[in-house]
Amino acid sequence: MPGRRQTMNTLNLLQDQFPERLGRAILFCPPAIFAALISWVRPLMSKSTREKIIVVKGSCAPGTANDATLGRIVGENWRALTGATMSQET
């Protein structure tokens, strides 16, 4: 895992040199280690970058908070647009 200094340098490079590149990032059910990394790095991000990253964990059943969040960001038909209704078999 990269050290704090390397993480900060990378984060600053991305935020300062490419601020317009990230429209919105939705992390849908990320692995626990990735979610932990994001929670560690989030306080180091600028406010505008922090607001663009949404971590979705838990149920996305109709009527849940996650359903409302994804509906607001992606649109009412977010399930069809994201493939959430597709089979999860590999």
Side-chain angles (χ1 to χ4, degrees):
M1 183 176 279
R4 181 180 172 92
R5 185 174 191 178
Q6 184 179 3
T7 302
M8 286 299 300
N9 287 341
T10 302
L11 185 60
N12 287 334
L13 173 74
L14 294 173
Q15 290 182 136
D16 297 343
Q17 302 303 316
F18 305 100
E20 72 286 350
R21 294 290 183 196
L22 177 63
R24 177 118 22 204
I26 300 172
L27 307 175
F28 190 78
C29 299
I33 188 73
F34 191 75
L37 178 63
I38 288 294
S39 67
W40 179 73
V41 173
R42 188 179 291 265
L44 308 174
M45 295 176 181
S46 67
K47 181 181 178 189
S48 62
T49 300
R50 225 178 10 250
E51 291 173 347
K52 294 177 182 182
I53 299 174
I54 293 100
V55 178
V56 176
K57 297 186 288 187
S59 175
C60 292
T64 63
N66 285 334
D67 179 49
T69 298
L70 291 168
R72 186 180 72 251
I73 294 168
V74 181
E76 288 185 30
N77 60 341
W78 72 266
R79 292 179 198 295
L81 290 171
T82 62
T85 57
M86 295 176 66
S87 172
Q88 298 298 313
E89 295 178 14
T90 56

